[in-house]
């Protein structure tokens, strides 16, 4: 009876998936979805979304800094993305004297825009399937080399889809002269910080403004004062009409990673082993760093990006476990696999082989994750690697060391080392003889960590310059963990399911699923390649009797404003604008109040990498910037449920309001097509 009920539930969910707002679709193949999109409010054609024959929306979307998305919004290469995507670049330009994270920054002319070292953006030239070329004997390296020879600044990758059943070539233009134009204070751009992260209702102005520069021929070039603002083939026009419940939305970006087709073995590992372990370890790291930040404005700034990076995944994993359990994902997977085996008995060996492969690799992958979360989290070992790197010139080495010590505090790292070495000693089964000997010599991991930091001379740059690196006890520590690094190296993949011993069985499994389950809408897992997702503006029932509306406003910011709490201490200029109701053209009437819209939510299928993605209306106009998901939506990497999953978007009207009324940078508003 229980088995039958599970199968019925699964059949209903599978049938619904073909029509739900689910999926991350390749733009070159979007014509297969346009009919459904138009039924929900889309007004354009497939060629408007993606074309290699004329300018299309794809030409206004960029891969930002290798892990986020951005959008071009003017004829002069003006670029919007998230504040958290630009965070590292903003921090690198900041100092105690010029704290752009805390105070914000607004260039008032092109000459005031700040070059961002090592920041790159990529604009897609085209994508094409190369499955047949590879089958015919052409290597990926050959395909990439031919593609990159086609144009100045071309970079190419060949990416697998459906676990290797298909392969696609992606050709990009890489721009390395990118400059900071503007960023709101963190109390706007990171409003609520970790407390509000992954949470709805949300009031974060998560945006920053950059500009792409090119040479005299409008081609990618290294930074030069002679470079000019890039003229794009296409930029987004902006709509200030606003949104309402049920409106069509489309997101165009570079989602990083989903696991739509993993089996119950992988779901069980994520929900019962991996996520709980990593959450507990990051609890300790965040407590240590947060306590140190509270003692000093300098330490707060030094560890701002590190804390944010650790906290982001930490909170995401918590929501993922809650969402998986709430949806009963494991039970659904088990029922689906049972049905597959019953209806495809000749192919049931594939699932048996997958289960056996997981059994072989779970211990190794667990130790790999444990190694990353504990031993790799000890920062001071990095200076040994920098000192010994054969790839660095003396000047590069000196610059790398200066950058390292700029944001390093010895006492913070000591506390992290004591905690993380103790956790590794207690939990790991992969402990090298060398590290075990160090633990035993000093009476345990905690005592060893204290001794190590008492005796190393590398705690500051002066000590580093005077030290004999090879004789320093930190080098002994690095040598002791190197055998562990080698042992976990075969498991160095983003997900357990990507280990070759496991992944080899997903290729025939997904192929068999596509041949068998004709009602399911199959899309390739996200892999940081350009995708289209669509849905609608929608609130949702968070809990019994608790319905969340899809729009937030400036009133919510003022209700949270607290000068005593750094992450809620909004700029005085925003308080003044609110008090005077000086909203200008950005003020609207919502629910009987004169206010400014701040954020909204929609049913677009998103994941990491979609941060900064343009959110468009049915006419292809920019209405917001994607920046997050709701907490219980984080399981959408594994299972997307339209009734529960929501992406969080900064309303473009709030972006423009902040630029204008807080930043005073009206010249940027004049540059944009409204």
């Amino acid at each position: 009876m229980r088995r039958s009920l599970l199968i019925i539930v699964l059949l209903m969910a599978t049938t619904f998936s073909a029509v739900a707002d689910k999926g991350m679709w390749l733009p070159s193949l979007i014509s297969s979805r346009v009919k459904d999109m138009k039924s929900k409010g889309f007004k354009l054609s497939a060629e408007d979304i993606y074309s290699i024959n004329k300018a299309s929306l794809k030409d206004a979307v960029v891969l930002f800094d290798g892990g986020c998305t951005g959008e071009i919004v003017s004829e002069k290469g003006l670029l919007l993305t998230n504040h958290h995507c630009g965070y590292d670049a903003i921090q690198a330009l900041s100092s105690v004297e010029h704290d752009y994270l805390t105070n914000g920054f607004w260039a008032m002319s092109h000459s005031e825009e700040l070059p961002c070292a090592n920041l790159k953006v990529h604009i897609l030239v085209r994508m094409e399937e190369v499955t047949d070329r590879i089958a015919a004997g052409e290597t990926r390296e050959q395909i990439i080399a031919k593609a990159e020879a086609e144009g100045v600044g071309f970079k190419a990758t060949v990416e697998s889809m459906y676990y290797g059943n298909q392969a696609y070539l992606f050709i990009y233009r890489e721009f390395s002269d990118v400059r900071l134009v503007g960023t709101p204070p963190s109390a706007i751009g990171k409003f609520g910080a970790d407390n509000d992260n992954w949470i709805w209702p949300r009031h974060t102005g998560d945006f920053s403004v950059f500009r792409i520069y090119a040479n005299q021929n409008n081609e990618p070039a290294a930074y030069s004062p002679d470079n000019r603002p890039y003229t794009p083939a296409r930029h987004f026009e902006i709509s200030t009409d606003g949104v309402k419940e049920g409106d069509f939305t489309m997101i165009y970006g570079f989602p990083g990673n989903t696991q739509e087709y993993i089996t119950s073995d992988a779901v069980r590992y994520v929900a019962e082993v991996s996520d709980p372990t990593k959450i507990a370890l990051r609890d300790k790291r965040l407590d240590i760093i947060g306590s140190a930040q509270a003692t000093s404005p300098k330490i707060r700034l030094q560890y701002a990006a590190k804390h944010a990076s650790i906290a982001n995944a930490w909170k995401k994993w918590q929501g993922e476990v809650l969402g998986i359990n709430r949806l009963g994902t494991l039970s659904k997977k088990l029922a689906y696999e049972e049905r597959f085996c019953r209806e495809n008995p000749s192919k049931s060996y594939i699932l048996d082989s997958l289960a056996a492969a997981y059994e072989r690799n779970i211990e190794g992958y667990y130790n790999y994750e444990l190694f990353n979360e504990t031993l790799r989290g000890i920062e001071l070992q990095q200076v040994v690697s920098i000192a010994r790197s054969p790839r660095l010139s003396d000047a590069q080495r000196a610059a790398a060391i200066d950058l390292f010590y700029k944001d390093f505090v010895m006492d913070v790292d000591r506390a992290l080392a004591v905690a993380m070495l103790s956790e590794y000693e207690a939990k790991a089964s992969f402990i090298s003889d060398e590290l075990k000997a160090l633990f035993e010599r000093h009476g345990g991991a905690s005592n060893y960590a204290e001794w190590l930091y008492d005796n190393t001379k590398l705690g500051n740059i002066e000590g580093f310059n005077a030290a004999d690196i090879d004789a320093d006890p930190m080098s002994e520590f690095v040598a002791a963990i190197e055998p562990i690094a080698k042992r976990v190296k075969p498991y160095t993949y983003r997900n357990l399911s990507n280990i070759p011993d496991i992944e080899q069985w997903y290729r025939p499994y997904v192929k068999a699923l596509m041949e068998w389950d004709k009602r399911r809408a199959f899309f390739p897992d996200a892999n940081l390649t350009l995708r289209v997702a669509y849905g609608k503006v929608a609130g949702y029932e968070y809990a019994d009797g608790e319905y969340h509306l899809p729009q937030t406003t400036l009133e919510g910011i003022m209700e949270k404003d607290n000068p005593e709490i750094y992450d809620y201490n909004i700029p005085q200029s925003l308080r003044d604008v609110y008090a005077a109701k000086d909203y200008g053209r950005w003020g609207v009437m919502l629910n009987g109040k004169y206010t400014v819209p701040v954020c909204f939510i929609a049913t677009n299928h998103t994941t990491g990498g979609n941060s900064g993605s343009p959110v468009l209306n049915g006419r292809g106009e920019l209405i917001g910037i994607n920046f997050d998901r709701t907490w219980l939506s984080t399981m959408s990497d594994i299972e997307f449920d339209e009734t529960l999953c929501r992406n969080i978007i900064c309303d473009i009207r709030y972006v423009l309001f902040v630029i204008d009324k807080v930043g005073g940078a009206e010249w940027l508003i004049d540059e944009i097509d409204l």
Side-chain angles (χ1 to χ4, degrees), residues 258-286:
T258 57
Q259 303 179 76
E260 177 74 13
Y261 308 107
I262 58 171
T263 63
S264 56
D265 300 284
V267 174
R268 182 180 286 109
Y269 175 74
V270 168
E272 298 178 4
V273 180
S274 177
D275 282 1
T277 299
K278 293 183 294 187
I279 290 165
L281 291 170
R282 292 201 176 194
D283 278 340
K284 295 180 183 296
R285 293 168 69 188
L286 290 169

Side-chain angles (χ1 to χ4, degrees), residues 647-664:
N647 59 307
I648 305 177
I649 303 144
C650 186
D651 195 304
I652 197 64
R653 294 170 292 178
Y654 185 58
V655 172
L656 299 172
F657 165 79
V658 172
I659 291 173
D660 184 12
K661 293 295 184 177
V662 177

Side-chain angles (χ1 to χ4, degrees), residues 4-73:
S4 299
L5 286 172
L6 284 171
I7 291 171
I8 291 169
V9 168
L10 182 68
L11 279 169
M12 292 172 65
T14 303
T15 302
F16 180 72
S17 71
V19 295
D21 293 335
K22 173 181 181 178
M24 299 175 174
W25 309 99
L26 289 170
S28 61
L29 303 177
I30 199 63
S31 58
S32 67
R33 307 300 305 176
V34 165
K35 182 178 179 181
D36 186 51
M37 293 170 69
K38 288 192 172 184
S39 73
K40 297 176 178 179
F42 185 59
K43 307 297 184 184
L44 303 178
S45 67
E47 196 171 23
D48 289 319
I49 295 174
Y50 175 90
S51 176
I52 59 174
N53 300 312
K54 66 174 187 177
S56 60
L57 296 179
K58 79 165 175 62
D59 299 304
V61 185
V62 309
L63 176 62
F64 184 88
D65 202 23
C68 282
T69 304
E71 50 272 7
I72 303 171
V73 293

Side-chain angles (χ1 to χ4, degrees), residues 386-432:
I386 295 171
R388 291 174 174 171
S389 175
R391 298 192 298 271
L392 298 177
S393 66
D394 290 343
Q396 290 171 326
R397 183 172 291 105
I401 290 297
D402 284 342
L403 185 63
F404 174 84
Y405 282 110
K406 173 179 178 286
D407 294 324
F408 176 79
V409 179
M410 181 69 159
D411 287 344
V412 178
D413 205 51
R414 174 198 287 265
L416 288 168
V418 170
M420 293 302 100
L421 280 171
S422 298
E423 290 291 331
Y424 193 78
E425 181 183 41
K427 292 181 169 66
S429 58
F430 287 12
I431 300 183
S432 67

